[in-house]
Each structure stands twice: as C-alpha cells, then as structure tokens.
Amino acid sequence: MSLRVFEAGLCFMINLEKRIKAARGEIYADLLIKNAQVINVFSGEIQKTDVAVFQGMIVGFGRYKAKKTIDIKGMYLSPGLIDGHVHIESSLVLPLEFARGVVPLGTTTVVADPHEIANVFGLEGIKFMAEYSRGIPLDIFIMLPSCVPATDLETSGARLGPHDLSTFADKPWVLGLAEMMNYSGVIYRDNSVLKKIGIMKGRIIDGHAPGLSERDLNAYISAGIRSDHECTTIDEAREKLEKGMYIMLREGTIAKNLKTLLPLITAENNRRFIFVTDDRNPVDILNEGHINFMVKTAIKWGIDPITTVRMATLNPAEYFQLNEFGAIAPGYNADFIVFDSFKSFNIKKVFKKGKLAAEYGCLILEDKSEHPIHLRSSMNVRPLSINDLRVKERGRLIKVIEIISGQLITRKRIEKAKIEKGEIVSDMDRDILKVAVIERHLSSGNIGIGFVKGLGLKRGAIASSVSHDSHNIITVGTNDRDMLFAVNEIIRLKGGQVVVEDGNVIESLPLPIAGLMSDKSLNEVKCGVERVNLAAKRLGCKLTHPFMSLSFLSLPVIPELKITDKGLVDVEKSKIVSLFGKL
C-alpha cells in the first residue's frame, strides 16, 4: 500500500468518526437549518423539523447544537434538483456560466453527455469539459458519448471507438455510457457498438430510440439499455415503461414532451420517471427556468407535489447509482433548496454540500481555480464559391424536409421544385428554402444540399456552426449569395450564429470555443441569442428559436428526413438519398 493511499484511508476514518460524533450530538454540527418543512422523498411526507449538517453531509434531524444556524421560518426544504440528461454545450457557455444560470434555480447536480464537443475534438473535448467542471458549485457527472459520430452518414471532427472510451471508463466522474443513438447498430449487432456496451457492463447505459417498438425494442433493451428520453407519445412511453425502461421526461428549448407524457404517471409507476432538459438555451434558462420549471409545470398539471419532487431528485439519483444524492437524510450530501410554496416554487436559497451556493437568484459560491483555454480552432473549411451551392435541375419533384414545431422529428414531403435557368432555387412564396451543410473539420469539401419547409424566411440567410451531432456549418437562405456570405462569416468568427441580408451581417453571435460555446457570461450570450433570433424574425422567420431548430435539421438519427454534409438522409432507411423524388 502506498503512503498516499494509507493517508487517504486514515483521513476518511478520522472524518467518518467525526461525522458519527456529530450525528450523535457529541460535537457541534457545522450548520443547523431550523424550522424547515422537509420533503421526505422516502416516506412521501412533509416533516416539520430542523436539519443538521456536518462536513457537507446531513447528519440528523431535530435539536442539535451547531456553529451556525439559519432559520427558514417554515419554508420548504427539498433535496437539490438533478438534471438526468443534458448537453452543457447547448447552453452555448462554459460550465461555470452554466452553473451561474441553473444553480440559483435549484439544480445542484447534472448528468452531462459531452458528445457535442466530442464530435468536434474527441477525447480532447471530453477532457476539456471535465477540467472546466472542477471547482464549481455544481456536481457535473459525465456519461461517455457512445456515438461519435452518430452515424457514418456525416463527417465529424473525431471518431471514438471502444478503445478510446476505455481510457476514461474508470474515471470517478464517469457514470456510464451516454445515449445509444445507433439503435440499428445494437439491433443488428455492430461489433464496435457491442464492444462499447461491453466496456460499460454493470454501469449505466442510456438509450435514445425514437419510435422503436416491439421486437426491435426488445432487442435494444436486452443489450442493457435502461432509459429513453425520446418518447413523443403516451403509447411509445408506455411500451418502454412496461419493458423496464426509465422514462426521461424532456422539456428542452425545441423538444417539449413533458405535458404530453405527464398523464402516464401514476402512483404505481412514478418511480420510473426522471426530468431532463437535453438541450436548453440561455434564453429559456434565464427567462423560463431549468428543472424547477418542469417541477412547477408538473404540479400545475396535477401531479402530486412530493411525487414531482421525487422525480427531480431521488429517482435520477437511484437510476445513476449516486448513492449520496437525491434525498434529505443522514449520510446524504447536504444539497438542498429552500422554497416558499409548491404553487410558485419560488426558490429562495440553494445549498451545495452544506454551503450557501445561491440566494434570491444569484450565485454566491464562485470557482476559484484557473482554467486557461487551450483549444485549437475548429474551422478547417475548403474555400467555397457560389457554384458550390447551386443545384442543377434533374427532375421537377424534390424531397423537402418539413419542420414540426416543438419536435425534433421532421416530415418527408415531395414538392414541385421552383426552377430558374435550369437550377432549383428557394421558393419563398411556398416557404421552401435551400439548406446546405458544409463540412468544417477535415477540409473535405463535402457539401450536402437540400430544401426545407417551415422556417418562413423571406429575405437573406442564416447560418450556424452548431448543428447536431457533427456540428458542421449549416445555412438556410433565400439566395445563394447570402448563404455563401453567411458561411464565410461563420468561418471568420471561428464559429457562431449569423444573420445576413444583401451581403451584410445583420447580427452575429461568436462561438469560438469548438464552434459551440462562447467565453462570455451567460447573460451576454442570452442577449446575443435574442438578437440573432430577432434579426431572423425580421427577415420573416416564423420560428421562436430558429437557430435551435436549424441545429437539429442535420441530426441523422431522428426521423424522417435530415441533411448532412454527405447529402439528404432518409433516417428510416439509414441511407443517403437523392434530392429528387416522385409521387
């Protein structure tokens, strides 16, 4: 045994002994929360009592002597909220700024899948997110990205095979394998997919299987996959629930499935539901909320308040085997929130490991560590010309991607093409606009071109370097010149979101960190998001969150029709298909 291991063991024993003494009242506790209405997620009761804390752990209820006492005067005390599945990169800010937004809202723990930055920088990206998650008043656990890239129908900046994942598998901040989007790889026994699952045997494996059912779903679950956050109907969620999956109730910026699925929850099955945000931008975090918003919504729609709190605390903690999280009880982390009523769920104070982390909407505990950013540029694009965006007529009917409001899924339509001088062009009168995805990682020159319905642009173009999952540059526009200008502006910014009209930048949001995140504050980025969204609306866009919707048009694992740098993807057939079609 090394001296370091011996010293660590000795320190643990000393602290454990002190904790037991504090629990017995033999020594002073560090903190006593007095006059609390404690939400007991084990018994389903609300208990009027005091709560004692020692060295960041809860040690007991009732009368204790403590070095510090805080009287919350009859307000409610709940375990800290847990987000069971989130991509922090989708908040467009670094982890500390993310914490600045969500901790005051009661979120004290998140389970993050860094597959956005992993698709750009691979293991280097995962290390970056882990490093930037240290020392902040938010526990960030990581699920290793299972699908980098998500499919072979796109070009990513990295590929993570079983060996790559194995190098991180034993890290203490790794809980398991993140959403297995390649469900066909599971069902048809792809060797690499099965090896990734094998590496995580005995650990948590999250699912991602929109619409999968019957024997295919049986096969998928048989691989050890235990959750799904892609349910969009009651019937889909019920089948997955009945077959043993945890149902992750998602309320993101674009994908909003919470209200649809709430009627499925009963007294008998509520232990199998978890709240997740998946992808939520700064505007929604700061204006609407985070997991606290989902709690308020569920209670408003008739779910029992204590059941609702349990779905946001104990349920995810038990699913992810976080044995010291998710409850207010002796031996659990002193992560808890103080709020006034179940109706308003207005959070007054947030404690992290027994220390006041946020109060009245402001983060108090700050990150004291240094985090210099050492990442190369993620823009490696072959020079483009206007000819690269032109589509020659090869038929009068084209396949069109139709956006569905509030969903990640799209519809496949066959529409008559608008033809000018032998080329297929955008048709603003019918809201059929050209969309292009330009590969930005390997300078391959790949450009996929298609058409999309549902954005509503009447002038100009928009573009973004945030496009799931490989995050190539995506642009939609009314004309090729503005689309080309928008792409070149993204390259100049080293990543971001832009709105262009008549060869001029109307508004832009730089995202120089992997083309996904800003180094600015959450509030500054929120304002930037609002500006580019408003600028897009001024050009006629009718979507509430045009750039978030744009980012999912290139996700080739969500039905029905998507677009990547390799072309138009028929998701159900899992293949690249011709733009031209027939009725």
Side-chain angles (χ1 to χ4, degrees), residues 41-42 271 309-310 312-319 325-327 332:
V41 292
F42 296 119
R271 294 304 309 278
V309 169
R310 189 184 290 123
T313 57
L314 186 62
N315 287 9
E318 290 187 340
Y319 170 67
F325 292 76
Y332 280 74

Side-chain angles (χ1 to χ4, degrees), residues 144-146 160-171 174-177 180 191-205 223:
L144 293 180
S146 65
L160 295 182
H163 175 72
D164 301 304
L165 297 184
S166 69
T167 62
F168 280 171
D170 61 348
K171 299 294 184 184
V174 171
L175 300 181
L177 193 63
M180 179 49 73
N191 187 55
S192 177
V193 170
L194 297 188
K195 282 184 177 179
K196 290 175 183 178
I197 292 173
I199 288 168
M200 290 297 170
K201 184 178 180 181
R203 309 284 289 280
I204 307 301
I205 303 176

Side-chain angles (χ1 to χ4, degrees), residues 82 274 313-327:
I82 301 173
I274 295 169
T313 57
L314 186 62
N315 287 9
E318 290 187 340
Y319 170 67
F320 287 107
Q321 299 173 7
L322 296 171
N323 298 325
E324 297 176 346
F325 292 76

Side-chain angles (χ1 to χ4, degrees), residues 90-92 253-254 256 280-285 287 455-459 461-464 466 496-500 506-511 524-551:
S90 294
S91 70
L92 308 180
T253 290
I254 296 299
K256 299 181 183 295
R280 202 159 176 82
N281 72 19
V283 176
D284 280 353
I285 290 172
N287 289 353
L455 269 84
L457 279 180
K458 299 298 183 183
R459 309 183 305 280
I462 63 175
S464 176
V466 179
Q497 298 174 343
V498 301
V499 180
V500 166
I506 306 303
E507 198 58 76
S508 66
L509 172 63
L511 300 171
E524 287 177 287
V525 176
K526 169 186 176 282
C527 293
V529 171
E530 289 174 331
R531 287 196 306 270
V532 293
N533 284 346
L534 181 60
K537 287 181 181 179
R538 287 173 177 163
L539 297 185
C541 185
K542 58 189 180 183
L543 297 176
T544 304
H545 300 284
F547 286 91
M548 189 70 95
S549 296
L550 185 67
S551 73

Side-chain angles (χ1 to χ4, degrees), residues 347-381:
I347 295 169
K348 304 293 188 180
K349 301 177 189 289
V350 181
F351 291 82
K352 185 65 185 171
K353 292 183 172 59
K355 295 182 178 180
L356 187 62
E359 188 170 24
Y360 301 110
C362 296
L363 193 69
I364 294 172
L365 288 178
E366 289 286 355
D367 184 13
K368 304 298 183 182
S369 53
E370 293 289 329
H371 293 294
I373 297 174
H374 296 301
L375 282 176
R376 55 186 166 82
S377 170
S378 64
M379 291 293 149
N380 190 21
V381 184

Side-chain angles (χ1 to χ4, degrees), residues 64-289:
Y64 279 85
K65 291 182 179 180
K67 298 172 185 176
K68 183 177 182 180
T69 298
I70 297 177
D71 189 340
I72 64 172
K73 299 178 180 178
M75 287 194 287
Y76 292 95
L77 197 68
S78 164
L81 308 180
I82 301 173
D83 188 341
H85 176 72
V86 62
H87 307 289
I88 292 174
E89 305 97 305
S90 294
S91 70
L92 308 180
V93 293
L94 291 167
L96 175 59
E97 288 302 317
F98 176 75
R100 200 184 302 280
V102 304
V103 172
L105 300 174
T107 302
T108 55
T109 303
V110 301
V111 180
D113 173 7
H115 79 205
E116 318 297 357
I117 197 167
N119 269 281
V120 179
F121 287 134
L123 292 180
E124 182 185 1
I126 299 173
K127 289 178 183 176
F128 177 86
M129 294 302 286
E131 171 68 21
Y132 270 77
S133 297
R134 290 193 300 108
I136 66 177
L138 175 71
D139 276 312
I140 299 177
F141 294 98
I142 286 177
M143 298 286 281
L144 293 180
S146 65
C147 301
V148 177
T151 71
D152 290 327
L153 304 173
E154 57 190 322
T155 304
S156 63
R159 301 186 74 88
L160 295 182
H163 175 72
D164 301 304
L165 297 184
S166 69
T167 62
F168 280 171
D170 61 348
K171 299 294 184 184
W173 36 267
V174 171
L175 300 181
L177 193 63
E179 50 183 323
M180 179 49 73
M181 292 181 285
N182 189 2
Y183 53 81
S184 62
V186 176
I187 295 167
Y188 298 108
R189 288 86 66 194
D190 178 273
N191 187 55
S192 177
V193 170
L194 297 188
K195 282 184 177 179
K196 290 175 183 178
I197 292 173
I199 288 168
M200 290 297 170
K201 184 178 180 181
R203 309 284 289 280
I204 307 301
I205 303 176
D206 279 344
H208 173 117
L212 204 63
S213 64
E214 299 180 348
R215 290 188 176 182
D216 284 345
L217 179 60
N218 296 341
Y220 186 72
I221 296 172
S222 294
I225 298 166
R226 292 291 179 260
S227 69
D228 189 87
H229 61 269
E230 291 293 340
C231 297
T232 58
T233 68
I234 287 281
D235 289 341
E236 179 183 3
R238 180 181 290 112
E239 181 183 4
K240 289 173 177 175
L241 174 70
E242 290 172 350
K243 291 180 177 177
M245 293 185 116
Y246 278 78
I247 304 302
M248 292 179 165
L249 302 166
R250 175 174 58 187
E251 190 74 3
T253 290
I254 296 299
K256 299 181 183 295
N257 311 123
L258 178 63
K259 292 178 183 177
T260 299
L261 301 181
L262 283 177
L264 182 59
I265 300 169
T266 66
E268 292 77 22
N269 67 23
N270 67 75
R271 294 304 309 278
R272 307 294 289 188
F273 291 87
I274 295 169
F275 291 136
V276 307
T277 58
D278 201 1
D279 292 286
R280 202 159 176 82
N281 72 19
V283 176
D284 280 353
I285 290 172
L286 292 177
N287 289 353
E288 194 173 65

